[in-house]
Amino acid sequence: MYTVRTTERIERVFERLKLSWKSVFLGGSLLCLLIFFFPPLYGEGYFAVTQLLKGNSNYLMQHAFYQNLSTFKLSVVLVAFLIMMLKPVAKALTIGAGGNGGIFASSLVIGGFAGFIFSYTMNFTGWFSLPTHHFIIAGMAGMLAGVIHAPLTSIFLIAEITGGYMLFIPLMLVSAIAYFF
């Protein structure tokens, strides 16, 4: 819900500007600021999710002024959460300022980050030992199912993209719950 509403609100602001050089300058400037503070926001985000799937959570902290904080696990969670929350804003700024894009790729990235944050936090607390890559994949399926309202597409697409056929039952559960809500 946050993703869709944020996108719609920001795009409405840019519609009032009528796509002039001012809207391009405003959108580009704001996007540059976001990317300066959170470099993984650059591009569609697949590379960041791929790095998280490989277990390289330090990628989130690289090339940023706070990269020395990567030894603190709580800072990794905080940065991942901020990236997850700012991805819809970055996408809406891009589209509103005249760029191209859609909701598909950003939904996968946001879902992957949500799964990462959950599993990384649970592993950090020591209560559980969860396989982070499974939760990243499940988060991607859940977010996609919830945003595009297509749970079967989400299940089959994520299983095919990631090769996570052994996660078929969890993908079905997550997609069904996300679609329901």
Side-chain angles (χ1 to χ4, degrees), residues 36-48:
F36 175 75
F37 288 110
F38 302 101
L41 286 174
Y42 180 73
E44 75 282 332
Y46 291 142
F47 189 73

Side-chain angles (χ1 to χ4, degrees), residues 21-80:
W21 67 271
K22 294 175 190 174
S23 63
V24 173
F25 180 75
L26 177 66
S29 299
L30 292 173
L31 194 59
C32 284
L33 278 173
L34 286 176
I35 292 171
F36 175 75
F37 288 110
F38 302 101
L41 286 174
Y42 180 73
E44 75 282 332
Y46 291 142
F47 189 73
V49 173
T50 304
Q51 291 300 311
L52 293 178
L53 281 169
K54 292 178 181 177
N56 183 12
S57 60
N58 290 333
Y59 170 76
L60 301 178
M61 310 294 270
Q62 289 176 351
H63 308 295
F65 66 90
Y66 48 80
Q67 68 185 1
N68 296 334
L69 297 175
S70 64
T71 56
F72 301 107
K73 293 188 179 205
L74 190 59
S75 64
V76 173
V77 172
L78 179 63
V79 169

Side-chain angles (χ1 to χ4, degrees), residues 101-112:
I103 201 144
F104 177 78
S106 61
S107 297
L108 292 179
V109 172
I110 293 166

Side-chain angles (χ1 to χ4, degrees), residues 29 118-119 145:
S29 299
F118 177 78
S119 62

